Amino acid sequence: MKPRSEITRALEAVLLVAEEPVEPHLLAQLLEVSPSRVDEECAALAAAYADEERGFVLARVAGGYRLQTHPDLAPYVERFVLDGQPARMSPAALETLAVVAYRQPVSRPQVASVRGVNADAVMRTLAHRGYIEEVGRDPGPGQAVLYGTTRVFLEKLGVDSLADLPPLSSFVPAPEMVEAIEKALGGGGSSNGG
Amino acid sequence: MKPRSEITRALEAVLLVAEEPVEPHLLAQLLEVSPSRVDEECAALAAAYADEERGFVLARVAGGYRLQTHPDLAPYVERFVLDGQPARMSPAALETLAVVAYRQPVSRPQVASVRGVNADAVMRTLAHRGYIEEVGRDPGPGQAVLYGTTRVFLEKLGVDSLADLPPLSSFVPAPEMVEAIEKALGGGGSSNGG
Amino acid sequence: MTVPYEVRTEVFEGPFELLLHLIARQEVDLYEVSLCAIVDAYLAELDRMGPLDLESATEFLVIAATLVELKTRRLLPEPPGDGLDDDELALFEQRDLLLAQLLECKTFSQAGEHLARMLDAGARSAPRTAGPEAWFLALAPDLLAGVTPDDLARALVRAASPKPPPKVSIVHMTPIRVSVGDALAELLTSLPGAGTTTFRRVTAGVDSRIDVVVRFLAVLELYKQGLVELDQGSTFGELRITWTGGDERAPSLVAGADTYGA
């Protein structure tokens, strides 16, 4: 076995003590290499962990790198970590979260108009969970508070950035569903008649 | 390379998420093997990490096992602790610490509900820095971990006891405002927890 | 300040959800979908919900009014000739608005379900959070340096002061005026030369939520008229759109869609 480079070993050590995903530029600074070298090292290390069937993986999450347990081993880890398995979110909360995720920055009235219902209580819950936060104010009259998703949201999803979410258009209802709704509301109306 | 056993992988996963050394009998229970098997597995894993010149080691400390950084790499970890961490208390961290100080014993969801935002990461940092610590468990369902401030906190702040923290009334002129704040802090916090 | 209907076992958070549920229940027999049955079920559900707070009630009732009008229209004989009066036009406009809102609501509820799956998958991996070993933390700067007990008390006041209540929204049903006709006209210009394209490309650069839905309706209209073919590889796959209408740009279609759309 060839001796491991100090860079790789230092990378492992720093990732072990990090409490949050570590951004490549910070790793680059600590290891005194270029950020692109950091990305290469991390990719190689991640591949090695996968090859070696480690119980942990090196993942790119929320703009940084972190060590996390392999999903296969969730049953063991869940048994060990008693605290902090939060209750499942209601469909209303998930839908609101989707509106904020895809429409951010977005105000409460805008969220309410999508769902046809006041969103205040649900948005408070999402903020408590750390999934959404205030990100600014509407420059227009009224200066409504605008909300967006947080870094914690990305961390919980285990994705690197919002760009990793599927495009919203992939959730537009299937044509049959649209047709059913149209029919339910009275078909195609006059344009079908002629 | 021969496939790794589930036991070894689960051991790695549990050690990765553990914040404190894990006792062999607890590992034995989680992995459903005998404590002596745990000791063998840990010894083998520790030897493998050493062989592979990993940046971390599996150490037996304080009656348990834990992953820790290899002493060779201390300079990198030191640099990370000095440069990679905030050098100042952020306003969010200070608010969180204040809620814990005045409202203790308090759970993470309760702190989140007072502040209206998730406090998990901040509380973890405060705990690692020794300003707050676990002081018990909520007797109610869920058995949330309860936090309080530490002796170190009192020392650094320069007060003898919690009774010496200034009363809120000296900062809020209006009595009804004090009442509102106390209500926000009050025992009802968990009802909002979502 | 929990709204009563939020705590029911069968929860309908809003009128769109309720309506979608009722429609889906009818979906078993797509060709027998009955507006009358849906309107009756909607009204019955509204009745069952009991008292609502003013704002929620408004939302539910606005929808109910539109539904009842549509039902009435359905029960009346077809008007002679093809002239539509202003009331009828307004009703069709409301119906299209409702349709667009239902589709949008459905879109986000499906996106929410997908987020739930992603969160479940994410929860199967737990991050390392143990932090640096104690001996390293001794090196870390003391975060409480320079912080006084008074600073702490002020921070508490900041943290626990009641937030100003959000202003009561007067935007009940934002009157979104979007025209399927306009979207159709645009597609009739861009699609014929484009061969096969995708819905994603058609909506590239469109960021208003309703505009995506409107474009979708326009694409469906073209599909109904046999001017495009649609296919989607998988449930979440790309929706591919192929122009099959030759070079013709049926202007009558746009006119027809105008009465349909806006």
Side-chain angles (χ1 to χ4, degrees), chain A residues 113-116 173 177-178 181-187, chain C residues 14-20 22-23 35 38-39 42 58-71 89-107 173-178 180 210 213-214 217 260-261:
Chain A
S113 93
V114 173
R115 304 194 47 242
M177 180 71 188
V178 178
I181 297 173
E182 260 192 314
K183 225 177 259 289
L185 295 182
Chain C
F16 303 145
E17 264 165 46
L18 169 57
L19 196 47
L20 284 167
L22 297 174
I23 292 169
L35 177 64
I38 287 171
V39 173
Y42 185 93
T58 311
E59 307 290 1
F60 276 97
L61 291 175
V62 166
I63 308 290
T66 306
L67 288 174
V68 170
E69 269 187 84
L70 286 170
K71 175 180 166 181
L89 276 176
L91 179 59
F92 285 130
E93 222 171 89
Q94 270 173 320
R95 184 203 54 205
D96 289 337
L97 176 59
L98 182 54
L99 177 59
Q101 284 170 320
L102 286 175
L103 291 180
E104 186 184 38
C105 184
K106 187 72 190 165
T107 299
M173 301 273 293
T174 327
I176 311 158
R177 296 287 168 195
V178 283
V180 175
I210 209 77
V213 174
V214 161
L217 291 177
Y260 164 83

Coordinates of all heavy atoms in Angstrom, one line a residue, chain A residues 113-116 173 177-178 181-187, chain C residues 14-20 22-23 35 38-39 42 58-71 89-107 173-178 180 210 213-214 217 260-261:
Chain A
S113 N -52.0 32.7 -1.6 CA -52.8 32.7 -2.8 C -52.6 31.4 -3.6 O -53.5 31.0 -4.3 CB -52.5 33.9 -3.7 OG -51.5 33.7 -4.6
V114 N -51.5 30.8 -3.5 CA -51.3 29.5 -4.2 C -52.2 28.4 -3.6 O -52.8 27.6 -4.2 CB -49.8 29.0 -4.1 CG1 -49.7 27.6 -4.7 CG2 -48.9 30.0 -4.9
R115 N -52.3 28.5 -2.2 CA -53.0 27.4 -1.6 C -54.4 27.8 -1.3 O -55.2 26.9 -0.8 CB -52.2 27.0 -0.3 CG -50.8 26.6 -0.5 CD -50.1 25.9 0.6 NE -51.0 24.9 1.2 CZ -51.5 24.9 2.4 NH1 -51.2 25.9 3.2 NH2 -52.3 24.0 2.8
G116 N -54.8 29.0 -1.5 CA -56.2 29.4 -1.2 C -56.5 29.5 0.3 O -57.7 29.4 0.6
P173 N -49.5 18.6 -13.2 CA -50.3 17.3 -13.3 C -50.3 16.7 -14.7 O -50.2 17.4 -15.7 CB -51.7 17.8 -12.9 CG -51.6 19.1 -12.2 CD -50.3 19.7 -12.7
M177 N -55.1 14.1 -15.6 CA -55.6 14.8 -14.4 C -56.1 16.1 -14.8 O -57.2 16.5 -14.3 CB -54.4 14.9 -13.4 CG -54.7 15.7 -12.1 SD -55.7 14.6 -11.1 CE -56.1 15.8 -9.8
V178 N -55.4 16.8 -15.7 CA -55.9 18.1 -16.1 C -57.2 17.9 -16.8 O -58.2 18.7 -16.5 CB -54.9 18.7 -17.1 CG1 -55.4 20.1 -17.6 CG2 -53.5 18.9 -16.4
I181 N -60.0 17.4 -14.2 CA -60.3 18.7 -13.5 C -61.1 19.6 -14.5 O -62.2 20.1 -14.1 CB -59.1 19.4 -13.0 CG1 -58.3 18.6 -12.0 CG2 -59.4 20.8 -12.4 CD1 -57.0 19.1 -11.6
E182 N -60.7 19.6 -15.7 CA -61.4 20.5 -16.7 C -62.8 20.0 -16.8 O -63.8 20.7 -16.8 CB -60.7 20.3 -18.1 CG -59.8 21.5 -18.4 CD -59.4 21.4 -19.9 OE1 -59.1 20.3 -20.3 OE2 -59.5 22.5 -20.5
K183 N -63.0 18.7 -17.0 CA -64.3 18.0 -17.1 C -65.1 18.3 -15.9 O -66.3 18.6 -16.0 CB -64.1 16.5 -17.3 CG -64.9 15.9 -18.4 CD -64.7 14.5 -18.5 CE -63.7 14.1 -19.6 NZ -64.4 14.3 -20.9
A184 N -64.5 18.2 -14.7 CA -65.2 18.5 -13.5 C -65.8 19.9 -13.4 O -66.9 20.1 -12.9 CB -64.3 18.2 -12.3
L185 N -65.1 20.8 -14.0 CA -65.5 22.2 -14.0 C -66.4 22.5 -15.2 O -66.7 23.7 -15.4 CB -64.3 23.1 -13.9 CG -63.4 23.0 -12.7 CD1 -62.3 24.0 -12.8 CD2 -64.2 23.2 -11.4
G186 N -66.7 21.6 -15.9 CA -67.6 21.9 -17.0 C -67.0 21.8 -18.4 O -67.3 22.6 -19.3
G187 N -66.1 20.9 -18.5 CA -65.5 20.6 -19.8 C -64.8 21.8 -20.5 O -64.4 22.7 -19.8
Chain C
G14 N -57.5 24.0 2.4 CA -58.0 25.1 1.6 C -59.0 24.6 0.6 O -59.2 23.4 0.4
P15 N -59.7 25.5 0.0 CA -60.8 25.1 -1.0 C -60.2 24.4 -2.2 O -60.9 23.5 -2.7 CB -61.3 26.5 -1.4 CG -60.3 27.5 -1.1 CD -59.5 27.0 0.1
F16 N -59.0 24.7 -2.6 CA -58.5 24.0 -3.7 C -58.2 22.5 -3.4 O -58.5 21.6 -4.2 CB -57.1 24.6 -4.2 CG -57.3 26.0 -4.5 CD1 -56.2 26.9 -4.3 CD2 -58.4 26.6 -5.1 CE1 -56.3 28.3 -4.6 CE2 -58.5 27.9 -5.4 CZ -57.5 28.8 -5.1
E17 N -57.7 22.3 -2.2 CA -57.4 20.9 -1.8 C -58.7 20.1 -1.7 O -58.8 19.0 -2.2 CB -56.7 20.9 -0.5 CG -55.2 20.7 -0.6 CD -54.5 21.1 0.7 OE1 -55.0 20.6 1.8 OE2 -53.6 21.8 0.7
L18 N -59.7 20.7 -1.1 CA -61.0 20.1 -1.0 C -61.5 19.7 -2.4 O -62.0 18.6 -2.7 CB -62.0 21.0 -0.3 CG -63.4 20.5 -0.3 CD1 -63.6 19.1 0.3 CD2 -64.3 21.5 0.5
L19 N -61.5 20.7 -3.3 CA -62.1 20.5 -4.6 C -61.3 19.4 -5.4 O -61.9 18.5 -6.0 CB -62.0 21.8 -5.3 CG -62.9 22.0 -6.6 CD1 -64.3 21.5 -6.4 CD2 -62.9 23.4 -7.0
L20 N -60.0 19.4 -5.3 CA -59.2 18.4 -5.9 C -59.5 17.0 -5.4 O -59.6 16.1 -6.2 CB -57.7 18.7 -5.7 CG -57.1 19.9 -6.6 CD1 -55.8 20.3 -6.1 CD2 -57.1 19.5 -8.1
L22 N -62.3 16.1 -4.1 CA -63.7 15.6 -4.6 C -63.6 15.2 -6.1 O -64.2 14.2 -6.5 CB -64.7 16.8 -4.4 CG -64.9 17.2 -3.0 CD1 -65.8 18.4 -2.9 CD2 -65.5 16.0 -2.2
I23 N -62.8 15.9 -6.8 CA -62.6 15.6 -8.2 C -61.9 14.2 -8.4 O -62.3 13.3 -9.1 CB -61.9 16.7 -9.0 CG1 -62.7 17.9 -9.1 CG2 -61.5 16.2 -10.4 CD1 -62.0 19.2 -9.6
L35 N -70.2 17.4 -12.6 CA -70.0 18.7 -11.9 C -71.0 18.9 -10.8 O -70.7 19.3 -9.7 CB -70.2 19.9 -12.9 CG -70.1 21.3 -12.4 CD1 -68.8 21.5 -11.8 CD2 -70.5 22.3 -13.4
I38 N -70.0 17.0 -7.8 CA -68.9 17.7 -7.1 C -69.3 18.9 -6.4 O -68.9 19.2 -5.2 CB -67.8 18.0 -8.1 CG1 -67.1 16.7 -8.5 CG2 -66.8 19.0 -7.6 CD1 -66.2 16.8 -9.7
V39 N -70.2 19.7 -7.0 CA -70.7 20.9 -6.3 C -71.4 20.6 -5.1 O -71.2 21.2 -4.0 CB -71.5 21.8 -7.3 CG1 -72.2 22.9 -6.6 CG2 -70.7 22.2 -8.5
Y42 N -69.1 19.5 -2.4 CA -68.3 20.6 -1.9 C -69.1 21.4 -0.9 O -68.7 21.7 0.2 CB -67.9 21.5 -3.1 CG -67.1 22.7 -2.7 CD1 -65.7 22.6 -2.8 CD2 -67.6 23.9 -2.3 CE1 -64.9 23.7 -2.4 CE2 -66.8 25.0 -1.9 CZ -65.5 24.9 -2.0 OH -64.7 25.9 -1.7
T58 N -64.2 33.1 3.4 CA -64.3 33.9 2.2 C -63.7 33.0 1.0 O -64.3 32.9 0.0 CB -63.5 35.2 2.3 OG1 -63.8 35.8 3.5 CG2 -63.7 36.1 1.1
E59 N -62.5 32.4 1.3 CA -61.9 31.6 0.3 C -62.8 30.5 -0.2 O -63.0 30.3 -1.4 CB -60.6 31.1 0.8 CG -59.6 32.1 1.3 CD -59.0 33.0 0.3 OE1 -59.3 32.8 -0.9 OE2 -58.2 33.8 0.7
F60 N -63.3 29.8 0.8 CA -64.2 28.7 0.5 C -65.5 29.1 -0.3 O -65.9 28.4 -1.2 CB -64.6 27.9 1.7 CG -63.5 26.9 2.2 CD1 -62.6 27.3 3.2 CD2 -63.5 25.7 1.6 CE1 -61.7 26.4 3.6 CE2 -62.5 24.7 2.0 CZ -61.6 25.1 3.0
L61 N -66.0 30.3 0.1 CA -67.3 30.7 -0.4 C -67.1 31.2 -1.8 O -68.0 31.0 -2.7 CB -67.9 31.7 0.5 CG -68.4 31.1 1.8 CD1 -68.9 32.2 2.8 CD2 -69.5 30.1 1.6
V62 N -66.0 31.9 -2.1 CA -65.8 32.4 -3.4 C -65.8 31.3 -4.4 O -66.4 31.3 -5.5 CB -64.5 33.2 -3.5 CG1 -64.1 33.4 -5.0 CG2 -64.6 34.5 -2.8
I63 N -65.1 30.2 -4.0 CA -65.1 29.0 -4.9 C -66.5 28.4 -5.0 O -66.9 28.0 -6.1 CB -64.1 28.0 -4.3 CG1 -62.8 28.6 -4.0 CG2 -64.0 26.8 -5.2 CD1 -61.9 28.9 -5.2
A64 N -67.2 28.3 -3.9 CA -68.5 27.8 -3.9 C -69.4 28.5 -4.9 O -70.2 27.9 -5.7 CB -69.1 27.8 -2.5
A65 N -69.3 29.8 -4.9 CA -70.2 30.7 -5.7 C -69.9 30.3 -7.2 O -70.8 30.1 -8.0 CB -69.9 32.1 -5.4
T66 N -68.6 30.3 -7.5 CA -68.2 29.9 -8.9 C -68.8 28.6 -9.3 O -69.4 28.4 -10.4 CB -66.7 29.9 -9.1 OG1 -66.2 31.2 -8.6 CG2 -66.3 29.7 -10.5
L67 N -68.7 27.6 -8.4 CA -69.1 26.2 -8.7 C -70.6 26.2 -8.9 O -71.1 25.6 -9.8 CB -68.7 25.3 -7.5 CG -67.3 24.9 -7.4 CD1 -67.0 24.1 -6.1 CD2 -66.8 24.2 -8.6
V68 N -71.3 26.9 -8.0 CA -72.8 26.9 -8.1 C -73.2 27.5 -9.5 O -74.1 27.0 -10.2 CB -73.4 27.7 -6.9 CG1 -74.9 27.9 -7.2 CG2 -73.2 26.9 -5.7
E69 N -72.5 28.6 -9.9 CA -72.8 29.2 -11.1 C -72.6 28.3 -12.3 O -73.4 28.2 -13.2 CB -72.0 30.5 -11.3 CG -72.6 31.8 -10.8 CD -71.8 33.0 -11.2 OE1 -72.0 33.5 -12.3 OE2 -71.0 33.4 -10.4
L70 N -71.5 27.6 -12.2 CA -71.2 26.6 -13.3 C -72.2 25.5 -13.4 O -72.6 25.1 -14.4 CB -69.8 26.0 -13.1 CG -68.6 26.9 -13.3 CD1 -67.3 26.3 -12.8 CD2 -68.5 27.2 -14.8
K71 N -72.6 25.1 -12.2 CA -73.6 24.0 -12.1 C -74.9 24.5 -12.8 O -75.6 23.8 -13.6 CB -73.8 23.6 -10.7 CG -74.9 22.6 -10.5 CD -75.1 22.2 -9.0 CE -76.4 21.5 -8.8 NZ -76.5 21.1 -7.4
L89 N -69.3 35.2 -20.3 CA -67.9 35.3 -20.5 C -67.2 35.4 -19.2 O -66.2 34.8 -18.9 CB -67.6 36.6 -21.3 CG -67.6 36.4 -22.8 CD1 -67.4 37.7 -23.5 CD2 -66.6 35.4 -23.3
A90 N -67.8 36.2 -18.3 CA -67.2 36.4 -17.0 C -67.1 35.0 -16.2 O -66.1 34.7 -15.6 CB -68.0 37.4 -16.1
L91 N -68.2 34.2 -16.4 CA -68.2 32.9 -15.7 C -67.1 32.0 -16.3 O -66.4 31.4 -15.5 CB -69.6 32.3 -15.9 CG -69.8 30.9 -15.3 CD1 -69.5 31.0 -13.8 CD2 -71.2 30.4 -15.6
F92 N -67.0 32.0 -17.6 CA -65.9 31.2 -18.2 C -64.5 31.6 -17.7 O -63.7 30.8 -17.5 CB -66.0 31.2 -19.7 CG -67.1 30.3 -20.2 CD1 -68.0 30.9 -21.2 CD2 -67.3 29.1 -19.8 CE1 -69.1 30.1 -21.6 CE2 -68.4 28.3 -20.2 CZ -69.3 28.8 -21.2
E93 N -64.4 32.9 -17.6 CA -63.1 33.5 -17.1 C -62.9 33.0 -15.7 O -61.8 32.5 -15.4 CB -63.2 35.0 -17.1 CG -62.0 35.7 -17.6 CD -62.3 37.2 -17.8 OE1 -62.1 37.9 -16.8 OE2 -62.7 37.6 -18.8
Q94 N -63.9 33.0 -14.9 CA -63.8 32.5 -13.5 C -63.4 31.1 -13.5 O -62.6 30.6 -12.7 CB -65.1 32.7 -12.7 CG -65.1 34.1 -12.0 CD -66.5 34.3 -11.4 OE1 -67.5 33.9 -12.0 NE2 -66.5 34.8 -10.2
R95 N -64.1 30.3 -14.4 CA -63.8 28.9 -14.4 C -62.4 28.6 -14.8 O -61.7 27.8 -14.2 CB -64.8 28.2 -15.4 CG -64.6 26.7 -15.3 CD -65.0 26.0 -16.6 NE -64.3 26.6 -17.8 CZ -64.8 26.6 -19.0 NH1 -66.0 26.1 -19.2 NH2 -64.2 27.2 -20.0
D96 N -61.9 29.4 -15.7 CA -60.5 29.1 -16.2 C -59.5 29.5 -15.1 O -58.5 28.9 -14.9 CB -60.2 29.9 -17.4 CG -60.9 29.3 -18.6 OD1 -61.2 28.1 -18.5 OD2 -61.2 30.0 -19.6
L97 N -59.9 30.6 -14.4 CA -59.0 31.0 -13.3 C -59.0 29.9 -12.2 O -57.9 29.5 -11.7 CB -59.5 32.3 -12.6 CG -58.8 32.8 -11.4 CD1 -57.4 33.1 -11.7 CD2 -59.5 34.1 -10.9
L98 N -60.2 29.4 -11.9 CA -60.2 28.3 -10.9 C -59.5 27.1 -11.4 O -58.7 26.5 -10.6 CB -61.7 27.9 -10.7 CG -62.0 26.9 -9.7 CD1 -61.4 27.2 -8.3 CD2 -63.5 26.7 -9.5
L99 N -59.6 26.8 -12.7 CA -58.8 25.6 -13.2 C -57.3 25.9 -13.1 O -56.6 25.0 -12.6 CB -59.2 25.5 -14.7 CG -58.5 24.4 -15.5 CD1 -58.7 23.0 -14.8 CD2 -58.9 24.3 -16.9
A100 N -56.9 27.1 -13.4 CA -55.5 27.4 -13.3 C -55.0 27.2 -11.8 O -54.0 26.7 -11.5 CB -55.2 28.8 -13.8
Q101 N -55.9 27.7 -10.9 CA -55.5 27.6 -9.5 C -55.5 26.2 -9.0 O -54.6 25.8 -8.2 CB -56.5 28.5 -8.7 CG -56.2 30.0 -8.8 CD -57.3 30.8 -8.2 OE1 -58.5 30.4 -8.3 NE2 -57.0 31.9 -7.5
L102 N -56.4 25.4 -9.5 CA -56.4 24.0 -9.1 C -55.1 23.3 -9.6 O -54.5 22.5 -8.9 CB -57.6 23.3 -9.6 CG -59.0 23.6 -8.9 CD1 -60.1 22.9 -9.6 CD2 -58.9 23.2 -7.5
L103 N -54.8 23.6 -10.8 CA -53.6 22.9 -11.4 C -52.3 23.4 -10.6 O -51.4 22.6 -10.4 CB -53.5 23.3 -12.9 CG -54.5 22.6 -13.8 CD1 -54.3 23.0 -15.2 CD2 -54.5 21.1 -13.6
E104 N -52.3 24.7 -10.3 CA -51.1 25.2 -9.6 C -51.0 24.5 -8.2 O -50.0 24.1 -7.8 CB -51.2 26.7 -9.5 CG -50.0 27.3 -8.9 CD -50.1 28.8 -8.6 OE1 -51.2 29.2 -8.3 OE2 -49.1 29.5 -8.8
C105 N -52.2 24.5 -7.6 CA -52.2 23.8 -6.2 C -51.8 22.4 -6.3 O -51.0 21.9 -5.5 CB -53.7 24.0 -5.7 SG -53.8 23.4 -4.0
K106 N -52.3 21.7 -7.3 CA -51.9 20.3 -7.5 C -50.4 20.2 -7.8 O -49.7 19.3 -7.3 CB -52.7 19.7 -8.7 CG -52.6 18.2 -8.9 CD -53.3 17.4 -7.8 CE -52.9 16.0 -7.9 NZ -53.3 15.3 -6.7
T107 N -49.9 21.1 -8.6 CA -48.5 21.0 -8.9 C -47.6 21.1 -7.7 O -46.7 20.3 -7.4 CB -48.1 22.2 -9.9 OG1 -48.9 22.1 -11.1 CG2 -46.6 22.2 -10.2
M173 N -58.3 36.5 -3.2 CA -58.1 35.8 -4.4 C -57.4 36.8 -5.4 O -58.1 37.6 -6.0 CB -59.4 35.3 -5.1 CG -60.2 34.4 -4.1 SD -59.7 32.7 -4.3 CE -60.2 32.4 -6.0
T174 N -56.1 36.8 -5.4 CA -55.4 37.7 -6.3 C -56.1 37.6 -7.7 O -56.1 36.5 -8.3 CB -54.0 37.4 -6.4 OG1 -53.6 36.9 -5.1 CG2 -53.1 38.6 -6.7
P175 N -56.6 38.7 -8.2 CA -57.3 38.6 -9.5 C -56.2 38.4 -10.6 O -55.7 39.4 -11.2 CB -58.0 39.9 -9.7 CG -57.4 40.8 -8.7 CD -56.7 40.0 -7.7
I176 N -55.8 37.2 -10.8 CA -54.8 36.9 -11.8 C -55.4 37.0 -13.2 O -56.3 36.2 -13.5 CB -54.1 35.6 -11.6 CG1 -53.8 35.4 -10.1 CG2 -52.9 35.4 -12.4 CD1 -53.6 34.0 -9.6
R177 N -55.0 37.9 -14.0 CA -55.5 38.0 -15.4 C -54.5 37.5 -16.3 O -53.5 38.2 -16.6 CB -55.9 39.4 -15.7 CG -56.9 40.0 -14.8 CD -58.3 39.4 -15.2 NE -59.3 39.7 -14.2 CZ -60.4 39.1 -14.1 NH1 -60.7 38.2 -14.9 NH2 -61.3 39.5 -13.1
V178 N -54.6 36.2 -16.7 CA -53.7 35.7 -17.6 C -54.5 35.1 -18.8 O -55.6 34.7 -18.6 CB -52.8 34.6 -17.0 CG1 -51.7 35.2 -16.1 CG2 -53.7 33.7 -16.3
V180 N -54.9 32.5 -21.8 CA -54.4 31.3 -22.5 C -54.3 31.6 -24.0 O -53.4 31.1 -24.7 CB -55.5 30.1 -22.3 CG1 -55.1 28.9 -23.1 CG2 -55.5 29.7 -20.8
I210 N -48.2 31.4 -12.3 CA -49.4 31.1 -13.1 C -49.1 31.0 -14.6 O -49.8 30.3 -15.3 CB -50.5 32.2 -12.8 CG1 -51.9 31.7 -13.0 CG2 -50.3 33.5 -13.6 CD1 -52.3 30.9 -11.8
V213 N -48.6 27.4 -15.6 CA -49.8 26.7 -15.7 C -50.6 27.1 -17.0 O -51.1 26.3 -17.7 CB -50.7 27.0 -14.5 CG1 -52.1 26.4 -14.6 CG2 -50.0 26.5 -13.2
V214 N -50.6 28.4 -17.3 CA -51.3 28.9 -18.5 C -50.7 28.3 -19.8 O -51.4 27.9 -20.7 CB -51.3 30.4 -18.5 CG1 -51.5 30.9 -19.9 CG2 -52.3 31.0 -17.5
L217 N -51.9 24.9 -20.1 CA -53.2 24.8 -20.7 C -53.2 25.1 -22.2 O -53.9 24.4 -23.0 CB -54.1 25.9 -20.0 CG -54.5 25.6 -18.5 CD1 -55.3 26.8 -18.0 CD2 -55.2 24.3 -18.4
Y260 N -62.4 30.8 -24.9 CA -62.1 29.7 -23.9 C -61.3 30.3 -22.8 O -61.5 30.0 -21.6 CB -61.4 28.6 -24.6 CG -60.7 27.6 -23.7 CD1 -61.4 26.6 -23.1 CD2 -59.4 27.8 -23.3 CE1 -60.8 25.8 -22.2 CE2 -58.8 26.9 -22.4 CZ -59.5 25.9 -21.9 OH -58.9 25.1 -21.0
G261 N -60.2 31.0 -23.2 CA -59.2 31.4 -22.2 C -59.4 32.6 -21.4 O -59.4 32.6 -20.2

